[in-house]
Amino acid sequence: MQLIPLIRVFRVFRGLIAEFRMNERFRVHYRVAAEACDIERRAGALAIEQSVETPLGAIRDQRVMREVLGQVASIEPEGPGNYRVTLALALETTGYESGQLLNMLFGNSSLQPEVELLDLDLPPAALARLRGPTLGLAGLRRIAGASGRPLTACALKPLGSTVEYLAELAGTLAAAGIDILKDDHGLADQTSAPFARRVPAVQRAVDQANRATGGHTLYAPSLTGGPSRLLEQVRISRDWGVELAMLAPMISGLGTLQELTAAGLPILAHPAMAGTPRIASTLLLGKLFRLAGADAVIFPNYGGRFSYTPETCRAIAQAASEPWGNLAAAAPVPAGGMHPDRVEELVRFYGPDLVLLIGGALLESPDIGRVARSFVARVHSLGEVPTP
Amino acid sequence: MQLIPLIRVFRVFRGLIAEFRMNERFRVHYRVAAEACDIERRAGALAIEQSVETPLGAIRDQRVMREVLGQVASIEPEGPGNYRVTLALALETTGYESGQLLNMLFGNSSLQPEVELLDLDLPPAALARLRGPTLGLAGLRRIAGASGRPLTACALKPLGSTVEYLAELAGTLAAAGIDILKDDHGLADQTSAPFARRVPAVQRAVDQANRATGGHTLYAPSLTGGPSRLLEQVRISRDWGVELAMLAPMISGLGTLQELTAAGLPILAHPAMAGTPRIASTLLLGKLFRLAGADAVIFPNYGGRFSYTPETCRAIAQAASEPWGNLAAAAPVPAGGMHPDRVEELVRFYGPDLVLLIGGALLESPDIGRVARSFVARVHSLGEVPTP
C-alpha cells in the first residue's frame, strides 16, 4: 500500500529528469526523400548517422544509448515522396564548437543526396554558450556613429592591384564617409598586394582620412590561410589598429569565425563557398553564421548577379537580425551587383537595419570620390527610417 | 629598312613573353546552364566573377586587365541547354594557398545554381608549389610495414564513449594488427572524451600494443576547432608521439590541411560536409584534397550507406592516386558501412593500393579482437595483389 506514493514520486522524478535531458538536446529539421514504407527506417538511420554513426550493436555504454544516440522526434509528410524529419540531437556532441556543430548537423548527410538540412532550434542554454555576435549591428553602428540609419560599405578592388592603388582607393572612399571598407573577397595574400604590406598601408590611409573628416570608417581586411598564417594575419591586423576583419567561414571554417569573434575581433562573414543547395541558405547564412559570431553577414541580393529571390533574401536578413535568445543581431549585408540607385528600394524592402554594400558600381566611375560622397549623402538623407 | 629585323625580334620576344604568361594561368572547367544566345556573355561573366569580380570599367591597371582578369578559353555545347566552359585563370590569384585556390575556383559561383565546377588542370610549376601529400600511400605503407598489400583501418566509436573505453578499444584493435585507427569523425573535443585526455590515453594504448606485437599501428586523432584550438591539439598530438591525424577539410579548411601537412603532420582527410552536388566529387575528394596535401582520402564507398556509384568511386580513387605531376599518390580510403566479407571484392575493384576502413561491422561483434584479427589475416593473405 505504502509503495504507491513512492512509485508516484519516482515517476515524477523520472519525468523531471527526462525534461532536463530534453533540454540537453536540440532539434534539427531535415527534408528527406523516401518512400512512405521506408521513411521510418530512413529517419532512424539519419539519427544514427548524425550522432553515433555506428550500428546500435556496437554501443555498449547505456549512457550513450540514452543520452548521445540521436532520436527521431517527428516525421511529417511534406509533398510527394518527401518528409520533414525532425531529430533531437544531444547538445554535448557539438562541444559548443561551431565547426563541430555543423559536422553534427550535416557532416556525413551532406554526402547523401536524399537529405536536405532545413533548420535548427537551440534551447536558450545552448544559445548562451554559443554566444553569437559580440558587436553585431548595434556595435558597428556605435563605432561608425550611424545611429538609426543603414551603414554604407564598399569593397577594395580589383584583385591584382598594387598596395599603393588599394591604399589610395581606401583613402578616397574613407574621405567620402563610407562606413565600412572591406577587401575584395579575392584579396588574400598574393604577391600583387601581400597581406603584410597591404593591411598597414590601407589602415594608415583610412586613419588619415578619419582624422581629416572626424568620421570613423572601418577597414575589414580579408583573413585567409591555415591556422598559423591566419593567426599571423590577425596579429598584423591588431598591430595596425584594424577593428573589423572579413572571413569566408565556408572556406576558413565556422570554428575560425567563432574563435576570432570570441577573442574580440569583429567579423564580416563572406558567403564564398556557401552555396550548397542542400542546406537552406536562411539557416546557413542567417542563423549559423550569426550563431558562430558573425557581426555582419554578406549575402547575395536579389536583382543583382545572383538569382536569390526577394523572399529568400528577406528571410536571410531576418534570420541574421531578428530576436533570437540572448544573441545580438548581426547586420544583414545584401550585396552582389548593387547600384546606388537602389538605396531607397533596398531600405524600403529590408528596413534600415542593414549595411548597403556597393562595390563595382562606385569603382567604375571616373570620379570615385564624387559618386561615393553622393552614395553616402543619399543614405544619410534617409534619416531615421521606420522598420517596415 | 633596319627597323624591320628589330620589329621581328620584338614580335618574337613578345610571343615568348605571352607563352610564358600562358603558363602562369591554369584551366578550370565548368558546366554552365544557359541559352545558346546567352552563353558567351554568361561565360564572360563567370571569368570576371572568378577573378577580378568587378565591372571592367573599374580596372585602371593594364597589368590587371592583361594578367589577372580571367579569360574564357573555350565554350563547348554539352547536352541541351548546357555548356562546358573552360576558363584560364591567373595562378597568381591563388597565392598557392589551397583555401584561396578553392575561392578562386568556385567561391562566388557556388552561389549561382546554373554553374557546376567540374575539373581543373594545373601546369607542372603550380603542382610543384602546391606539393600535395608528403607521406602519401607509399609513406603510410612504409611506416605500417605493409608493402604491396592494402592497409587496414578501423574507427574508434561511438561518440559519447569514455576515454577509458576508447583507449581499451584502441589497444584491442592495435593488438589485432590493424594498421590505422582513426577517431570517429564525430569525436571532437567533447566533455565525454576531451581531446587533451583522449589522445594521450589512446596513443599510450596503441604504443603498448605495438611494443607487444612488434607491429606499427598508427592512431589518427580528429583535429577540430578554430586556429588556436587546433594548433593546441597539434601540439598535444606531437607531444604524445602521434604520427597521423584526421581532418575534415570542408569543415576546418583546405588551407588548414595544406598547412598541417606542409609542417610535417600526415593527414587522413575526411569527407564531412564535402557533399556539395555542384562540385564534381572526383575533383573535390580526389584532386583538391590530394593537392592540398591529404596523405589518405576517405570517400563514401558504393554499396554501403551512401549512394555513390561504382564508377564515381573508382574515379575518386584514381584521381587521388594516379600519376599527377610530381605529386605523391594519396591513399584512397573507401568507407561507410563496409564489411570484412567485401575485402576481396574491394581489392578486385580498386586494386591493392588502398586503405580498407571497416568500422561498425567490426565493433558490433561480441569479440572485437577476434573479428579484427580475422579481418587483418584476410587482408594479409591476399599477398601481393596485381593492380587491375
Side-chain angles (χ1 to χ4, degrees):
Chain A
M1 286 285 280
Q2 280 191 344
L3 261 178
I4 292 169
L6 259 178
I7 288 172
R8 279 206 189 124
V9 165
F10 172 73
R11 279 189 184 148
V12 167
F13 185 69
R14 199 175 55 179
L16 283 172
I17 293 281
E19 192 74 20
F20 179 69
R21 282 203 176 122
M22 281 310 291
N23 211 15
E24 291 182 328
R25 290 185 178 257
F26 64 110
R27 305 273 165 148
V28 192
H29 309 282
Y30 302 87
R31 184 182 294 125
V32 177
E35 302 286 329
C37 59
D38 194 41
I39 184 61
E40 285 213 21
R41 186 204 61 78
R42 187 63 193 83
L46 182 63
I48 292 173
E49 192 74 57
Q50 292 309 127
S51 58
V52 292
E53 201 208 327
T54 193
L56 298 189
I59 304 178
R60 274 138 177 109
D61 183 338
Q62 285 311 304
R63 191 194 80 82
V64 174
M65 285 296 279
R66 243 181 7 246
E67 298 178 19
V68 181
L69 174 64
Q71 296 167 353
V72 178
S74 66
I75 301 175
E76 302 288 338
E78 196 190 65
N82 280 309
Y83 293 84
R84 185 180 175 97
V85 171
T86 298
L87 300 184
L89 299 180
L91 274 167
E92 67 168 82
T93 64
T94 70
Y96 299 96
E97 195 278 309
S98 294
Q100 173 64 6
L101 171 65
L102 187 62
N103 191 22
M104 297 318 294
L105 291 175
F106 205 52
N108 272 9
S109 300
S110 88
L111 301 156
Q112 297 177 321
E114 68 275 23
V115 185
E116 288 171 71
L117 174 63
L118 301 179
D119 203 358
L120 92 166
D121 298 312
L122 287 163
L127 288 177
R129 285 208 49 183
L130 283 160
R131 306 216 315 204
T134 39
L135 269 188
L137 174 64
L140 291 173
R141 270 191 170 137
R142 198 170 51 243
I143 296 182
S147 88
R149 65 161 173 86
L151 293 158
T152 54
C154 188
L156 303 179
K157 303 185 179 194
L159 175 54
S161 301
T162 61
V163 167
E164 294 67 32
Y165 178 81
L166 295 168
E168 193 193 321
L169 178 61
T172 303
L173 291 165
I178 302 271
D179 297 311
I180 296 173
L181 299 180
K182 70 171 202 59
D183 276 346
D184 186 23
H185 93 285
L187 285 174
D189 195 11
Q190 296 102 337
T191 49
S192 47
F195 191 94
R197 285 215 299 118
R198 177 174 88 245
V199 172
V202 171
Q203 186 62 50
R204 265 199 310 264
V206 168
D207 288 343
Q208 202 173 338
N210 282 341
R211 277 193 299 274
T213 63
H216 200 117
T217 296
L218 293 163
Y219 166 49
S222 175
L223 303 177
T224 62
S228 301
R229 190 164 182 173
L230 193 136
L231 289 175
E232 172 65 8
Q233 292 177 1
V234 170
R235 190 194 60 74
I236 293 169
S237 301
R238 289 195 190 278
D239 281 356
W240 289 90
V242 163
E243 295 171 280
L244 181 67
M246 186 170 76
L247 186 86
M250 299 313 284
I251 293 177
S252 296
L254 274 176
T256 304
L257 172 58
Q258 182 181 20
E259 197 179 277
L260 295 181
T261 53
L265 180 63
I267 296 284
L268 178 60
H270 191 281
M273 284 301 299
T276 169
R278 289 194 293 101
I279 305 183
S281 48
T282 314
L283 172 64
L284 184 58
L285 297 174
K287 286 177 115 169
L288 290 176
F289 280 20
R290 177 186 184 184
L291 198 58
D295 296 281
V297 175
I298 303 174
F299 60 93
N301 195 25
Y302 68 95
R305 301 195 308 275
F306 300 87
S307 57
Y308 284 48
T309 63
E311 292 65 38
T312 301
C313 294
R314 199 198 301 268
I316 295 171
Q318 277 177 352
S321 59
E322 71 193 353
W324 191 21
N326 63 330
L327 266 55
V333 191
M338 295 300 95
H339 193 279
D341 286 348
R342 293 184 65 191
V343 161
E344 290 78 9
E345 173 212 336
L346 294 175
V347 174
R348 263 197 313 275
F349 184 77
Y350 290 106
D353 296 335
L354 84 166
V355 178
L356 290 158
L357 170 57
I358 299 183
L362 300 184
L363 304 181
E364 69 180 338
S365 162
D367 187 346
I368 295 173
R370 190 184 56 74
V371 292
R373 282 191 301 276
S374 139
F375 166 46
V376 167
R378 199 160 174 166
V379 174
H380 286 221
S381 76
L382 296 170
E384 300 261 341
V385 192
T387 303
Chain B
M1 287 286 280
Q2 279 190 345
L3 261 179
I4 291 169
L6 258 180
I7 287 172
R8 280 207 188 122
V9 165
F10 172 72
R11 279 190 184 148
V12 167
F13 184 70
R14 201 176 54 181
L16 284 172
I17 293 282
E19 192 75 21
F20 178 70
R21 282 203 174 123
M22 280 310 292
N23 212 14
E24 291 182 326
R25 288 183 179 259
F26 64 110
R27 304 274 165 147
V28 191
H29 309 283
Y30 302 86
R31 185 180 294 125
V32 177
E35 302 286 329
C37 60
D38 194 41
I39 184 61
E40 288 213 19
R41 184 204 62 78
R42 186 64 193 82
L46 182 62
I48 293 174
E49 192 74 58
Q50 291 309 125
S51 60
V52 293
E53 202 210 324
T54 191
L56 299 189
I59 304 177
R60 273 133 179 116
D61 183 338
Q62 285 311 303
R63 190 194 81 82
V64 174
M65 285 296 278
R66 246 183 4 248
E67 298 178 18
V68 181
L69 175 63
Q71 295 167 354
V72 178
S74 65
I75 301 174
E76 302 289 338
E78 197 190 63
N82 280 309
Y83 293 84
R84 186 179 175 96
V85 172
T86 299
L87 300 185
L89 299 181
L91 274 168
E92 67 167 82
T93 64
T94 70
Y96 299 96
E97 194 277 309
S98 294
Q100 173 64 5
L101 171 64
L102 187 62
N103 190 22
M104 298 319 294
L105 291 175
F106 206 51
N108 271 9
S109 299
S110 86
L111 301 157
Q112 297 177 321
E114 68 275 23
V115 186
E116 287 172 71
L117 174 62
L118 301 179
D119 204 357
L120 91 166
D121 299 313
L122 287 163
L127 288 177
R129 286 207 48 183
L130 282 160
R131 306 215 317 204
T134 40
L135 270 187
L137 173 63
L140 290 173
R141 270 192 170 135
R142 198 171 51 243
I143 296 182
S147 89
R149 65 161 173 85
L151 293 159
T152 53
C154 189
L156 303 180
K157 303 186 180 196
L159 175 53
S161 301
T162 62
V163 167
E164 293 67 31
Y165 179 81
L166 295 169
E168 192 193 323
L169 178 61
T172 303
L173 292 165
I178 302 272
D179 297 311
I180 296 173
L181 300 180
K182 68 170 204 57
D183 276 347
D184 185 25
H185 93 285
L187 285 173
D189 195 11
Q190 296 101 337
T191 48
S192 47
F195 191 95
R197 285 214 300 118
R198 177 174 88 245
V199 172
V202 171
Q203 186 62 50
R204 263 198 313 262
V206 169
D207 288 344
Q208 202 173 339
N210 283 340
R211 276 193 302 273
T213 63
H216 200 117
T217 296
L218 293 163
Y219 166 49
S222 176
L223 305 176
T224 60
S228 301
R229 189 163 183 174
L230 194 137
L231 289 175
E232 171 65 8
Q233 292 177 0
V234 170
R235 189 195 61 71
I236 293 169
S237 302
R238 288 194 190 279
D239 282 356
W240 289 90
V242 164
E243 295 171 280
L244 180 67
M246 186 170 76
L247 186 85
M250 299 314 283
I251 292 177
S252 296
L254 275 175
T256 303
L257 172 58
Q258 181 181 20
E259 198 180 277
L260 295 181
T261 53
L265 179 63
I267 296 284
L268 178 60
H270 190 281
M273 283 302 299
T276 168
R278 289 195 292 102
I279 304 183
S281 48
T282 316
L283 172 64
L284 184 57
L285 297 175
K287 288 176 114 168
L288 289 176
F289 279 19
R290 176 187 185 185
L291 197 59
D295 296 280
V297 175
I298 303 174
F299 61 93
N301 195 25
Y302 67 95
R305 301 195 308 275
F306 299 89
S307 57
Y308 284 48
T309 65
E311 292 67 37
T312 301
C313 294
R314 199 199 300 269
I316 294 172
Q318 278 178 352
S321 58
E322 71 192 353
W324 190 21
N326 63 332
L327 265 54
V333 192
M338 295 299 95
H339 193 277
D341 286 347
R342 293 185 64 191
V343 161
E344 290 78 10
E345 173 213 336
L346 294 175
V347 173
R348 265 197 312 275
F349 185 79
Y350 290 106
D353 295 335
L354 83 166
V355 178
L356 289 158
L357 170 57
I358 298 183
L362 300 185
L363 303 183
E364 68 180 337
S365 162
D367 187 346
I368 295 174
R370 191 184 54 75
V371 294
R373 283 190 301 276
S374 140
F375 166 46
V376 167
R378 199 160 176 165
V379 174
H380 286 221
S381 76
L382 296 169
E384 299 260 341
V385 192
T387 302

